[in-house]
Amino acid sequence: MWPHFLTGQAEQPVRVLLVDDDPHMRRVVAQELLADLRINLVGQAASVREAKVLVATQEFDVMLVDLKLGDGTGFDLIDHVKSVRPVAEVVVVSAMEDEEHALRAFELGASGYLIKNSWFGNYPQAVLQVVNGGASITPGLARRLIRRLDGADAPVRKPLAAKSAAHPSEQLSEREREVLRLVATGYTSNEIGKRLSISGQTVNTHIKNTYRKLQVRSRAQAVNLAQMKGLLY
């Protein structure tokens, strides 16, 4: 039973874009998504160019994207989506399972990284996890990332903390906090704009300013940090 308080219900499904240049893989993923009533697959694309058209014309909550596309990379799309639709979540679906590609995707703002043909988990589950503030990473890759963070990358933690301290969250304006509270409850930019009587573009500007001040790249990161600092109350 899917709890009623979580985003993704049959009467209000999560809207998804799927981007992969492999027709077979796109068909496999699409079939899984279409079989789940909590998911609404609103568009599919096979290239960066096609995907950017969908991003500009479709309202969506999550994008599933491959990293290798004929006319560019999934990294290009992650960066583009985070610039124009900062509330949207991105999950990478890739055959490349090395830590470097995963870390790059997360740095750009992705909230998930799934390895193609892995028998762990499924695509609807990944979509529902990230749209509800979580993350979705193929377990084998997640384990390697944990080992890496516990090893060679440990010395960089203090400088990162110091950098974060240089940008206190108290710099958030009251309007930015108000927008962030609505983001945390799952509203889209357009829905937030209607509630606050401002344009969706203005909402996106507030969200991008909030991400910059909190030094985050995704809704999940922003909400988690805001909760820790008591900014949502």
Side-chain angles (χ1 to χ4, degrees):
M1 182 68 68
W2 187 243
H4 67 87
F5 55 84
L6 290 179
T7 301
Q9 303 294 333
E11 62 273 16
Q12 191 171 0
V14 179
R15 299 161 299 184
V16 177
L17 294 184
L18 172 60
V19 185
D20 196 312
D21 65 348
D22 181 344
H24 171 71
M25 190 65 199
R26 202 165 60 245
R27 184 165 56 252
V28 169
V29 177
Q31 287 175 346
E32 277 197 33
L33 297 175
L34 291 169
D36 195 314
L37 295 178
R38 298 167 295 180
I39 307 292
N40 180 16
L41 183 58
V42 296
Q44 299 184 49
S47 67
V48 172
R49 181 183 59 81
E50 290 179 3
K52 286 185 176 180
V53 172
L54 288 178
V55 170
T57 58
Q58 295 286 341
E59 288 293 331
F60 67 98
D61 306 298
V62 180
M63 172 182 279
L64 297 180
V65 59
D66 190 8
L67 290 181
K68 286 188 174 182
L69 300 169
D71 59 345
T73 72
F75 295 132
D76 299 329
L77 273 179
I78 297 172
D79 194 44
H80 177 69
V81 167
K82 285 303 176 179
S83 295
V84 301
R85 301 285 182 108
V87 176
E89 302 289 349
V90 180
V91 175
V92 170
V93 181
S94 176
M96 296 181 288
E97 51 184 305
D98 59 288
E99 299 97 309
E100 293 301 330
H101 282 94
L103 289 172
R104 176 62 176 152
F106 294 140
E107 286 171 357
L108 289 172
S111 297
Y113 197 106
L114 304 180
I115 307 302
K116 290 182 178 180
N117 301 319
S118 170
W119 59 273
F120 281 109
N122 57 59
Y123 299 107
Q125 181 183 46
V127 166
L128 295 167
Q129 284 175 338
V130 299
V131 84
N132 281 287
S136 184
I137 310 175
T138 298
L141 175 61
R143 189 163 185 168
R144 293 201 303 277
L145 288 172
I146 291 171
R147 286 174 178 168
R148 175 168 176 158
L149 292 173
D150 283 342
D153 284 356
V156 305
R157 290 176 184 168
K158 286 187 179 179
L160 285 174
K163 182 179 178 183
S164 179
H167 296 271
S169 58
E170 286 71 22
Q171 292 180 354
L172 293 185
S173 68
E174 184 53 43
R175 176 64 91 183
E176 287 165 351
R177 292 182 184 222
E178 190 174 20
V179 169
L180 186 56
R181 283 192 286 269
L182 291 171
V183 167
T185 58
Y187 289 105
T188 66
S189 294
N190 285 340
E191 290 169 341
I192 293 172
K194 290 177 182 178
R195 292 179 69 90
L196 301 181
S197 299
I198 58 179
S199 71
Q201 186 58 49
T202 299
V203 172
N204 284 340
T205 298
H206 286 310
I207 294 172
K208 283 187 277 190
N209 288 338
T210 299
Y211 284 6
R212 175 178 53 81
K213 291 178 180 180
L214 296 180
Q215 295 188 4
V216 298
R217 290 281 294 179
S218 72
R219 179 178 67 178
Q221 292 172 353
V223 171
N224 288 339
L225 184 57
Q227 289 175 331
M228 289 174 56
K229 293 181 175 293
L231 301 177
L232 300 182
Y233 310 106

